[in-house]
Amino acid sequence: MRNYEARKRILVTGGAGFLGSHLCDRLLERGDEVVCADNLFTGSKRNIEHLHGNPRFEFVRHDVTFPLYLEVDEIYNLACPASPVHYQHDPVQTTKTSVHGAINMLGLAKRLRCRIFQASTSEVYGDPSVHPQTEGYWGNVNPIGIRSCYDEGKRCAETLFFDYHRQHGLDIKVARIFNTYGPRMHPNDGRVVSNFIVQALQGNPITIFGEGQQTRSFCYVDDLVEGFLRFMDTDAGFTGPMNLGNPGEFTIRQLAEKVIELTGSKSTLEFKPLPSDDPLQRKPDISLAQAKINWTPEVQLEAGLKKTIAYFDSLLAGQI
Ligand code: NAD
Ligand code: UDP
């Protein structure tokens, strides 16, 4: 627990979302002050309700596409809808959030001369032709497709981070996050883990897009947040980009079968058309994170799914 002298005041944009709320929890647990800025587009007050009595926590309802004037020691920039259903709902706003949001938060970091972390994504690799994906791979992204608002927005945000670093000497940390899951995911955000669990718990058909042979690597949220904190504490000379994700690779069909097994559900499998530009394979090469921050995810898929299923079970029963 950090004492008063060591305590930092930390801005978390997107702090009322799935990952952001877990990050706020961890920062408060170690004794820091947290300012959570969120426009509540996909996040929810429920995710941070338990923090409101904490004198070291503040919530600011704010859209990062507008400038923000605050005094903080560090910034984690997570604000951006992350599920395809949500980011495709208003694609222009998604690009604005990534690009204008990055410009505004980088401007804030520049004025404060403070360190800033960017929640980038494995989507910068698009539908990858290199497998597993290393940070040196430049990606295979469609610039005009339905995922482009997110993929290209995040790529442009990375460009801005590195230009602020080169041009203004800003202290940046760019993490490329691979599919992460856990409690507080939005039940209707359409992401595969939340979709399958909710469908299984409700006894509805499990919707597999395509034949379910596409792969993803799923990281449990606690492992990921540990990676954020370790990365943020590295020397200023280390900027990333750095992959953070669990290298365990599963087909979507395997995930569906695992969720049915763990929930004991009678749900059947229902096959639907594969959305366009849906990447066929995804798996992080995490050698850089292992070498630089001594980080390897510890939570195996089955253990993480059990915790996530317990969360959605309580949520659907109206207990959360
Ligand atoms: P999420 O949708 O739960 O959280 C995003 C948060 O940002 C929400 O609270 C939302 O209300 C807020 N937000 C959106 N637009 C905003 C705006 N204009 N101004 C202020 N707040 C805004 O998603 P998440 O899974 O927690 O993702 C958090 C970050 O991590 C995102 O930047 C996402 O791109 C990145 N990421 C997540 C994953 C993953 O698997 N979860 C993978 C790769 C990257
Ligand atoms: N997917 C699926 N059924 C669903 C939701 C998603 O088969 O109900 C598939 C989707 O087509 C993709 C994978 O699961 O191949 C992961 O989708 P998600 O939206 O979670 O993340 P992303 O595609 O951004 O990795």
Side-chain angles (χ1 to χ4, degrees), residues 11-265:
L11 171 63
V12 179
T13 77
F18 160 50
L19 297 180
S21 62
H22 286 276
L23 176 60
C24 291
D25 284 351
R26 282 292 302 277
L27 294 170
L28 289 165
E29 272 162 32
R30 75 172 190 195
D32 288 319
E33 277 183 42
V34 172
V35 183
C36 162
D38 199 299
N39 70 352
L40 300 179
F41 171 45
T42 53
S44 120
K45 285 187 182 166
R46 181 165 52 197
N47 288 341
I48 48 169
E49 208 170 30
H50 59 290
L51 301 178
H52 283 305
N54 190 321
R56 287 182 283 109
F57 179 76
E58 278 171 62
F59 174 71
V60 184
R61 190 164 185 154
H62 178 79
D63 183 326
V64 293
T65 62
F66 297 96
L68 178 62
Y69 297 95
L70 290 170
E71 312 307 315
V72 289
D73 303 307
E74 274 180 4
I75 301 170
Y76 286 86
N77 186 37
L78 273 66
C80 187
S83 91
V85 169
H86 283 154
Y87 70 64
Q88 288 165 18
H89 169 74
D90 185 347
V92 173
Q93 178 64 16
T94 298
T95 304
K96 280 188 187 169
T97 294
S98 278
V99 177
H100 293 191
I103 292 170
N104 288 326
M105 292 310 110
L106 285 161
L108 178 63
K110 182 175 162 227
R111 176 173 69 79
L112 299 173
R113 303 306 304 167
C114 78
R115 181 167 285 193
I116 178 166
F117 171 103
Q118 167 68 353
S120 191
T121 168
S122 54
E123 291 285 317
V124 300
Y125 302 123
D127 189 8
S129 51
V130 167
H131 194 73
Q133 292 77 56
T134 51
E135 290 85 354
Y137 175 53
W138 290 355
N140 175 33
V141 177
N142 176 358
I144 57 168
I146 55 169
R147 294 176 84 101
S148 314
C149 58
Y150 183 74
D151 301 8
E152 297 289 18
K154 288 284 188 177
R155 284 169 69 95
C156 184
E158 285 201 9
T159 308
L160 285 161
F161 268 71
F162 278 86
D163 280 335
Y164 268 77
H165 172 66
R166 284 184 288 258
Q167 197 174 331
H168 301 297
L170 218 64
D171 185 358
I172 60 162
K173 305 282 172 197
V174 175
R176 292 184 178 155
I177 304 165
F178 285 64
N179 298 61
T180 301
Y181 69 99
R184 301 193 197 140
M185 291 184 89
H186 195 294
N188 301 323
D189 76 2
R191 283 190 267 194
V192 70
V193 174
S194 42
N195 256 16
F196 285 3
I197 292 177
V198 170
Q199 288 164 343
L201 291 174
Q202 295 182 328
N204 293 327
I206 307 277
T207 53
I208 294 189
F209 299 161
E211 291 173 12
Q213 290 310 307
Q214 69 274 35
T215 67
R216 293 292 186 273
S217 302
F218 300 102
C219 186
Y220 189 66
V221 59
D222 292 355
D223 280 334
L224 186 81
V225 172
E226 177 63 29
F228 285 7
L229 300 184
R230 290 192 195 190
F231 186 15
M232 197 57 156
D233 282 343
T234 53
D235 295 341
F238 180 57
T239 57
M242 186 175 76
N243 290 338
L244 289 176
N246 191 321
E249 185 183 11
F250 298 87
T251 67
I252 294 306
R253 188 175 178 130
Q254 283 172 325
L255 177 73
E257 285 162 354
K258 185 53 81 185
V259 168
I260 289 176
E261 177 198 322
L262 295 177
T263 51
S265 172

